[in-house]
């Protein structure tokens, strides 16, 4: 078997020698693999912007080695000694490392390669020395080679032995320019635009697209680094490139076609129930287990506990402690699934993006300068829709990166400017404006800024009610969800009929991804008991019943929250949903069945015998409950057992307690509605 070099995936992280293992092949197949390997290296283009001399020299030596391996393959009857076999195996590892190093330098971050210039040049030198050593011990005389090939081996050996580490003086000078510029940024000195342009021209980063690619490569480099100092240096470079992208090449927006295609692909993906947080209903980034054994996303459960709750949101049990235990096995499964679906998955410690790993003064100042530049540009671009749209798109992307960026943008005065464009008739501009506000709202301090900015909340609500696109409406719903994380704002939003009605309308009529955003916001608002009464009046129960076929988990979760905190009106409105809940109880996912059981228990306990009668009339209901008791998790089994006990008491005529509860709820619900 011959091993093709193409079976090894391209890597951005620089490989270490132990990363490769010598293949266990017959001598002839090993030589054929060496021939393929050297051919592959020979076809590579030398690095153009840095280390050109180093890469050119080692590619040239690989071309000469191709002649040696070709000659060895031609005469397959040769018998090779054990020492020759060892040389071939070691040579394979060296060539494999050479190819990966050149690929890495060509396809990775140019900025980071510049900063590591001397180190990488030394790597090229070390590989050349290793090649020279192997050719020194290669038993040329024991192998029947023609004189030309023997002379070729001697030539390669001589060239390799005479090589010295080489760093182009121009590359060294360019590196010093970047270091000096970062140092000046650290001291809050705005970079000279001419010098900045010269650096990026030399690195062949000449437009917004290449800047975006460079930022992605740098972010990949952060993940590859294990040393905190190196991570900090890379993050400073990310800040510099972001600043240069805006200053040198101007703000830009992606093509509508590619943008819409990306949104369509994301909306088509159905996230498995076990991967979604029971609180946010979204894909978890950092799953953790609480004292009751339930799993939540770390960010969601922390907000829950920091809001003063001491119970498990899913089970209602009091938490014995607030320790959060990482659910590593689930996170590994989620990471594998995300890779298969081509969905970005940020591991614990990088939940906000790679920039949150570690920050330094240069990175923060570069971010602040970028935010100020964009905000100043936005304040001067009111007459041009295209210019404003491009700047807001840049702010939207910057606000998505990390907390420091969100703080810098808000402190620069972006929020009042963004509010102006919420009412824009340009769909793209409106989407970018509301999404930028959404991204800014992730930072708690910015929630207050948004709520206190004149026209900001009304602007978001108006987009939710009559936005130009479904995406704009969905992102305004997500903004409502984000703002409602603060208890006082949750109550304030819950008092606005426009918010509740618009969210329910979006959940009813929007596409699937928009429905989910609206339902997520509704679920958050349903955490306030007073708001639940208004949600019921706005038709939330009917909405959940309508959506129970398409989005059963989200619908049942909302219905459970509503009937748990609502009064008689909520219970009565849920009467028509009982049949659908029984279907979910039979056919739904584990999480949906559990929520359906909990909802039915609440309905039966608070609603009286009439509602129990309705449930009992469902065909095979007891068998369905028995199945849930046998297959569900602890909470599902407990709720199913309670439900079965209620049905049997009803069958035995022991429903006095239920009627008493019903009467009690009539009084409490009436009081609630008057308030």
């Amino acid at each position: 078997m011959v091993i093709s070099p193409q079976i090894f995936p391209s890597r951005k992280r620089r490989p270490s020698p132990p990363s490769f293992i010598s293949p266990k092949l017959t001598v002839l197949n090993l030589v054929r693999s060496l021939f393929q390997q050297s051919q592959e290296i020979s076809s590579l283009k030398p690095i153009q912007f840095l280390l050109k001399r180093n890469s050119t020299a080692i590619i040239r030596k690989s071309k000469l080695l191709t002649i040696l391996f070709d000659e060895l393959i031609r005469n397959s009857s040769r018998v090779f000694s054990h020492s020759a076999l060892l040389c071939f195996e070691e040579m394979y590892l060296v060539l494999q490392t050479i190819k990966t190093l050149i690929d890495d330098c060509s396809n990775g971050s140019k900025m980071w390669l510049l900063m590591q210039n001397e180190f990488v040049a030394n790597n090229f030198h070390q590989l050349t020395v290793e090649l020279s050593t192997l050719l020194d011990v290669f038993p040329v005389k024991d192998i029947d080679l023609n004189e030309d090939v023997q002379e070729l081996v001697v030539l390669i050996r001589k060239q390799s032995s005479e090589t010295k580490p080489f760093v182009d003086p121009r590359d060294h000078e360019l590196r010093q320019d970047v270091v000096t510029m970062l140092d000046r940024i650290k001291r809050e000195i705005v970079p000279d635009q001419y010098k900045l342009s010269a650096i990026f021209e030399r690195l062949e980063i000449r437009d917004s697209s290449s800047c975006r690619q460079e930022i992605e490569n740098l972010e990949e480099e952060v993940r590859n680094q294990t040393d905190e100092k190196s991570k900090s240096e890379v993050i400073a470079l990310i800040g510099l490139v972001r600043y240069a992208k805006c200053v040198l090449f101007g703000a830009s927006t992606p093509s509508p076609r590619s943008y819409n295609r990306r949104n369509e692909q994301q909306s088509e993906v159905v996230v498995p129930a076990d991967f979604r947080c029971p609180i946010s209903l979204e894909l978890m980034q950092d799953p953790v287990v609480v004292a009751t054994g339930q799993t939540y996303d770390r960010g969601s459960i922390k907000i829950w506990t920091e809001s003063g709750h001491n119970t498990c949101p899913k089970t209602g049990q009091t938490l014995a402690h607030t320790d959060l235990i990482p659910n590593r096995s689930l996170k590994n499964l989620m990471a594998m699934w995300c890779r298969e679906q081509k969905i970005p998955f940020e591991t614990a410690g990088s939940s906000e993006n790679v920039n949150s790993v570690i920050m330094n003064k240069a990175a923060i100042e570069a971010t602040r300068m970028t935010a100020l530049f964009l905000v100043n540009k936005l304040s001067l671009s009111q007459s041009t829709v295209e210019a404003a749209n491009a700047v807001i798109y840049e702010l939207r992307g910057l606000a998505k990166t990390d907390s420091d960026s969100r703080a810098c943008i808000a402190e620069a005065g972006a929020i009042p400017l963004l509010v102006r464009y919420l009412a824009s008739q340009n769909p793209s501009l409106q989407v970018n404006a509301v999404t930028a506000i959404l991204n800014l709202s992730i930072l708690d301090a910015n929630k207050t800024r948004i709520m206190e900015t004149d026209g900001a909340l009304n602007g978001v609500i108006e987009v939710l009610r009559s936005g130009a696109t479904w995406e704009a409406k969905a992102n305004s719903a997500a903004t409502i969800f984000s703002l409602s994380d603060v208890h006082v704002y949750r109550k304030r939003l819950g008092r606005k009929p426009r918010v509740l009605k618009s969210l329910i309308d979006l959940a009813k009529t929007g596409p699937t991804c928009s429905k989910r955003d609206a339902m997520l916001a509704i679920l958050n608002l349903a955490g306030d008991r007073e708001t639940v009464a208004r949600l019921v009046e706005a038709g939330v129960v009917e909405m959940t019943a309508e959506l129970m076929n398409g989005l059963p988990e989200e619908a049942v979760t909302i219905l459970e929250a509503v009937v748990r905190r609502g009064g008689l009106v909520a219970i009565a409105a849920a009467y028509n949903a009982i049949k659908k809940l029984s279907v979910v109880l039979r056919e739904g996912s584990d999480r949906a069945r559990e929520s359906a059981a909990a909802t039915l228990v609440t309905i039966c306990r608070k609603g009286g015998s009439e509602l129990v009668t309705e449930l009992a009339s469902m065909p095979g209901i007891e068998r369905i409950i028995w199945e849930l008791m046998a297959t569900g998790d602890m909470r599902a089994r407990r709720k199913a057992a309670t439900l079965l006990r209620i049905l049997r008491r009803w069958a035995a005529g022991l429903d006095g307690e239920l009627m008493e509860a019903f009467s009690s709820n009539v009084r409490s619900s009436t009081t609630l509605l008057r308030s």
Side-chain angles (χ1 to χ4, degrees), residues 246-261:
C246 296
V247 173
L248 297 180
F249 310 116
S252 61
T253 56
S255 65
R257 182 179 299 176
S258 63
Y259 185 73
N260 292 335
R261 184 167 58 248

Side-chain angles (χ1 to χ4, degrees), residues 463-484:
V463 174
L464 174 65
R465 192 183 69 83
S466 58
T469 63
W470 290 119
E471 184 186 1
K473 291 182 177 182
N475 288 347
S476 62
T479 306
I480 297 295
F481 165 76
S482 177
L483 296 172
S484 63

Side-chain angles (χ1 to χ4, degrees), residues 9-30:
S10 60
R11 298 178 46 159
K12 291 186 177 179
R13 185 174 183 177
R14 291 176 234 304
S16 56
S19 303
F20 302 123
I21 301 174
S22 178
K24 301 301 179 183
L25 303 174
T26 63
V27 178
L28 184 58
N29 283 337
L30 181 56

Side-chain angles (χ1 to χ4, degrees), residues 133 228 354 397 424 494 514:
T133 303
E228 292 300 307
V354 294
S424 172
S514 300

Side-chain angles (χ1 to χ4, degrees), residues 128-256:
T128 305
V129 170
E130 288 181 34
L131 203 57
S132 172
T133 303
L134 289 172
L135 292 174
D136 275 338
V137 298
F138 184 66
V140 179
K141 295 181 180 179
D142 297 342
I143 302 173
D144 184 21
L145 294 172
N146 64 51
E147 290 184 4
D148 290 341
V149 176
Q150 288 186 31
E151 290 177 3
L152 181 64
V153 173
V154 173
L155 174 63
I156 300 172
R157 185 168 57 200
K158 183 179 179 182
Q159 287 181 349
S160 301
S161 62
E162 292 177 352
T163 188
K164 294 180 180 179
F166 174 76
V167 176
D168 192 317
R170 294 175 302 169
D171 294 348
H172 180 74
E173 183 181 346
L174 184 63
R175 181 184 181 279
Q176 288 303 115
D177 289 343
V178 173
V179 171
T180 301
M181 186 166 288
L182 289 173
D183 183 64
R184 288 173 64 83
I185 289 174
K186 195 181 298 184
R187 291 185 281 126
E188 303 181 22
I189 301 173
V190 177
D192 179 88
Q193 190 167 336
Y194 176 78
K195 291 182 179 178
L196 191 65
S197 177
I199 290 171
F200 277 70
E201 176 64 30
R202 176 71 195 284
L203 291 173
E204 298 184 1
I205 304 175
R206 296 174 175 141
D207 51 35
S208 292
S209 177
S210 56
C211 277
R212 279 194 294 268
Q213 183 61 55
E214 177 65 15
I215 290 170
E216 289 178 10
N217 289 338
L218 284 167
E219 289 176 343
E220 179 71 20
E221 198 63 55
V222 174
R223 299 183 185 98
N224 289 337
Q225 296 298 324
T226 56
D227 176 61
E228 292 300 307
K229 185 174 181 296
S230 296
K231 288 181 181 180
S232 177
E233 291 173 354
V234 179
I235 289 170
L237 293 173
I238 292 174
L240 176 62
V241 177
R242 282 201 181 114
Y243 175 77
K245 175 179 178 292
C246 296
V247 173
L248 297 180
F249 310 116
S252 61
T253 56
S255 65

